[in-house]
Amino acid sequence: MKTRCQQWIDDPENHEAHLLECDSCRTRAEELSQVDRSLSASVVEPGGSIASLVTDRLPVATWEGARHRAWGLTLLVIALITLLTAGLFAWVGIPPAEGIADSAQSAYGGPESAALLSDSVGAFLRNAPRSFHAMILLAFLTVNFILLALLRRPPRGYDVRSR
């Protein structure tokens, strides 16, 4: 999307001249004005909702028709890796269940290795130079200021208000 198109979407009243040069924005503006005209001509029945009337007539956004199906792919990859691992253990001559269990146990290492890792990380942090601690503090403050700026910015997009 071009910057001028985004400017028109953010503030259509101040960027009306953009519609003279952009066909896609002109088409979108015409669709929205048709929706606006049909809404102003519609009468909401008692007990009815204006929200359902509006949502039925608004154009569908590009992401509304898509379905997010990441879990199927994730489960397929996990199953393929498990089958490949089991096949490699069987090829070497180790029973797959025993090989996978032994690998998981050796990777974890037990509570002793977790305590050793915790102690070594603690010793590193105690003996780290002040510049390292300053960088950690600076990164923390930067991330929090970015999040604060994102939370305080005004909403963007087409404003659906009655006129």
Side-chain angles (χ1 to χ4, degrees), residues 32-153:
L32 290 172
S33 65
Q34 286 176 355
V35 169
D36 194 33
R37 284 192 301 271
S38 66
L39 282 175
S40 62
S42 300
V43 175
V44 178
E45 297 174 14
S49 162
I50 189 75
S52 63
L53 187 65
V54 170
T55 55
D56 291 342
R57 296 200 176 148
L58 284 174
V60 177
T62 55
W63 63 85
E64 287 179 335
R67 296 177 117 188
H68 190 63
R69 297 186 181 113
W71 282 109
L73 178 63
T74 304
L75 294 175
L76 178 67
V77 168
I78 289 172
L80 287 175
I81 289 173
T82 305
L83 288 174
L84 179 66
T85 305
L88 287 174
F89 278 125
W91 181 57
V92 172
I94 301 172
E98 184 180 317
I100 291 173
D102 287 344
S103 297
Q105 187 177 15
S106 67
Y108 171 61
E112 297 86 22
S113 65
L116 180 64
L117 178 66
S118 173
D119 290 342
S120 62
V121 168
F124 169 75
L125 290 176
R126 279 190 301 273
N127 297 326
R130 289 199 184 273
S131 60
F132 178 77
H133 291 285
M135 287 189 318
I136 296 292
L137 178 64
L138 184 64
F140 175 79
L141 291 174
T142 302
V143 166
N144 281 292
F145 279 127
I146 289 171
L147 290 174
L148 183 65
L150 289 173
L151 287 172
R152 294 180 55 89
R153 72 180 183 164

Side-chain angles (χ1 to χ4, degrees), residues 149-162:
L150 289 173
L151 287 172
R152 294 180 55 89
R153 72 180 183 164
R156 298 173 56 181
Y158 189 81
D159 189 14
V160 182
R161 284 184 260 171
S162 61

